[in-house]
Amino acid sequence: MTAPGTTARPRPPARERRLPGDADMWVMILGDLFIFGCYFVTYMVFRAMSADEFTASQRHLDIDVGVVNTVVLLTSSLFAALAVLAVREGASRQAQRLLLATGACGVLFTLIKAYEWHAEISHGHTIHDEFYSFYFVLTGVHLVHLALGLLVLGVAGRELRNPRRRRPAIVEQCVLFWHMVDLLWVVIFALLYLMR
């Protein structure tokens, strides 16, 4: 009810409630999560059978490097989420900058992981050790997904550069994939670095 002599302000339109992205992207993400879930279960089974050996090998991992990489990827997810919000508000240039920051975090993660791999290999930790065979496979497959994620972010950035093609749904789908990559790393970090 409005006071006499004043006009009622129009209400902003109600936001549509829906999952971001489309069904195809969700099928791909759920399929990837299932495959990684199988890797994780296999790792847990082998770890249970050789707990002492796995724990001894885990002690050689630099947990500080793992923490830094985790912070880098979580920061990238924040930038990616902010990019989606910017696209929804029509702030394409801001969204482009945020996606660029997301990609920069992904590149930084890759460089840190390459440094870590080099350090482990130079100390003689290779796939001949059961724990390290899991370590290199899990982190390697994750890096492949991260590289694909960088490519997907490039698609989103290209989408935003063309004024006729600025579709928030495409950016949402690309960011969904990126969030999956980050989520997978959090689980890998917990399994390989923290679980004793």
Side-chain angles (χ1 to χ4, degrees):
M1 193 157 188
T2 59
T6 61
T7 58
R9 284 190 216 165
R11 290 185 180 186
R15 281 196 114 142
E16 177 187 349
R17 294 203 179 255
R18 62 176 178 79
L19 280 174
D22 68 8
D24 295 334
M25 180 57 78
W26 280 105
V27 167
M28 189 180 95
I29 286 172
L30 292 173
D32 254 2
L33 291 175
F34 175 77
I35 291 168
F36 266 93
C38 292
Y39 284 147
F40 298 152
V41 169
T42 303
Y43 171 80
M44 297 292 289
V45 168
F46 276 81
R47 190 184 194 293
M49 293 188 305
S50 306
D52 293 338
E53 292 85 357
F54 272 58
T55 301
S57 294
Q58 276 180 297
R59 289 193 182 106
H60 297 289
L61 289 179
D62 188 341
I63 195 163
D64 293 335
V65 172
V67 168
V68 168
N69 253 350
T70 302
V71 170
V72 166
L73 272 193
L74 291 177
T75 302
S76 78
S77 266
L78 173 63
F79 289 144
L82 292 173
V84 169
L85 293 177
V87 166
R88 288 176 181 168
E89 299 297 323
S92 298
R93 290 200 186 256
Q94 181 184 3
Q96 287 176 3
R97 287 191 297 272
L98 288 163
L99 287 176
L100 188 61
T102 304
C105 288
V107 170
L108 178 59
F109 177 93
T110 303
L111 293 173
I112 293 169
K113 184 52 66 185
Y115 160 79
E116 185 180 23
W117 275 16
H118 178 267
E120 295 301 334
I121 292 169
S122 65
H123 288 107
H125 305 300
T126 65
I127 59 171
H128 299 295
D129 177 297
E130 195 171 44
F131 169 78
Y132 277 98
S133 66
F134 279 103
Y135 167 80
F136 285 114
V137 168
L138 284 172
T139 58
V141 173
H142 178 262
L143 272 178
V144 169
H145 280 73
L146 189 132
L148 183 58
L150 289 172
L151 180 67
V152 165
L153 289 175
V155 168
R158 189 192 69 186
E159 182 82 16
L160 292 175
R161 281 192 294 278
N162 185 340
R164 292 186 305 266
R165 299 179 67 186
R166 291 181 181 152
R167 297 170 290 178
I170 297 297
V171 177
E172 287 176 356
Q173 289 182 71
C174 294
V175 167
L176 269 175
F177 185 85
W178 190 259
H179 286 320
M180 180 202 69
V181 170
D182 291 356
L183 172 64
L184 290 172
W185 172 253
V186 169
V187 177
I188 290 169
F189 173 69
L191 288 175
L192 296 179
Y193 294 80
L194 302 180
M195 193 176 84
R196 297 283 191 241

